[in-house]
Amino acid sequence: MKVAVLAVQGAFIEHEKQLERLGIECIELRQAADLEKEYDGIILPGGESTVQGKLLKDLGMFDLLKEQIANGMPVLATCAGLILLAEGISNDDRTYLQTLPVVVKRNAYGRQLGSFHIEGEVKGIGVVPMEFIRAPYIESVKDDVEVLATEGDSNHIVMVQYKNQLAMAFHPELCECTKIHERFVALMLGK
Ligand code: GLN
């Protein structure tokens, strides 16, 4: 099994370390030619979605990446990665890959004070640490999108699954807990 981690900007090294903990090989997607390589799943890391979206276009990676995800390639997306996948962004005119039928709100907890840590329940996984950093949340989902977690006592949706796409507003790569990445491995194995 091999995972391709988008490595144009943001917290990709931390995802690679999580994969290493699980003994899973990874490669980095840095340029269009990397998208021709063989792999079983893609990770879209956190960072800055506007920068990542622009780089994907400038580097000629956007269309092929979108096509692969739309065609069923398993994807784990965190924070900015979730924004890249979202069909709509309520507080921004820009949209990106639009393969995930949800509407997100960027920087939904405020820009500066928007970073916090909680422990939260994820459906089918149990309690996991959730690190939020200038995070979005999901305002609405369309049919067939499964809500896997909400934040604290709020009704803010912070993790969903839609077919091959597992997306969350928090950062599961910034803790020692590997449960979310294990769930992604199960998705790649078709479980
Ligand atoms: N605020 C960032 C954005 O809008 C996301 C933050 C993150 O990925 N930690 O892209």
Side-chain angles (χ1 to χ4, degrees):
M1 177 180 287
K2 201 184 283 179
V3 173
V5 184
L6 182 66
V8 294
Q9 190 269 339
F12 53 89
I13 305 269
E14 291 80 359
H15 280 287
E16 292 171 10
K17 287 192 179 137
Q18 287 292 56
L19 294 170
E20 212 172 284
R21 282 195 182 106
L22 295 174
I24 291 169
E25 200 183 331
C26 70
I27 59 164
E28 294 184 344
L29 300 176
R30 289 180 173 273
Q31 52 190 349
D34 296 331
L35 290 159
E36 311 283 349
K37 295 178 179 167
E38 296 258 318
Y39 42 83
D40 306 288
I42 295 173
I43 292 183
L44 301 180
E48 193 56 42
S49 54
T50 51
V51 177
Q52 293 181 1
K54 183 175 185 313
L55 283 170
L56 285 177
K57 286 187 180 141
D58 292 351
L59 293 164
M61 299 171 79
F62 189 92
D63 292 338
L64 193 49
L65 183 62
K66 179 173 168 131
E67 193 182 305
Q68 289 181 4
I69 296 170
N71 286 340
M73 173 72 75
V75 58
L76 172 72
T78 62
C79 207
L82 160 66
I83 297 169
L84 289 185
L85 291 183
E87 193 176 278
I89 304 173
S90 66
N91 55 348
D92 202 321
D93 292 338
R94 290 162 288 194
T95 47
Y96 305 96
L97 301 166
Q98 293 188 290
T99 53
L100 181 67
V102 305
V103 174
V104 298
K105 181 175 182 185
R106 287 186 63 205
N107 299 312
Y109 297 94
R111 277 195 157 268
Q112 298 306 327
L113 298 169
S115 302
F116 57 97
H117 174 92
I118 58 170
E119 304 271 314
E121 175 84 25
V122 176
K123 200 169 156 187
I125 295 182
V127 174
V128 298
M130 295 177 175
E131 205 69 53
F132 290 85
I133 304 172
R134 292 180 298 106
Y137 60 66
I138 298 169
E139 283 187 337
S140 63
V141 301
K142 284 195 179 154
D143 291 350
D144 297 338
V145 175
E146 188 181 9
V147 174
L148 296 180
T150 50
E151 174 260 311
D153 293 329
S154 75
N155 55 2
H156 301 150
I157 300 167
V158 291
M159 182 168 174
V160 294
Q161 181 167 357
Y162 175 68
K163 299 180 183 171
N164 53 313
Q165 302 172 61
L166 197 56
M168 64 227 65
F170 54 92
H171 287 265
E173 76 286 9
L174 297 181
C175 55
E176 304 240 313
C177 172
T178 53
K179 284 184 195 167
I180 302 269
H181 289 77
E182 286 168 40
R183 168 76 181 250
F184 180 52
V185 171
L187 182 66
M188 288 189 286
L189 291 170
K191 289 183 192 158

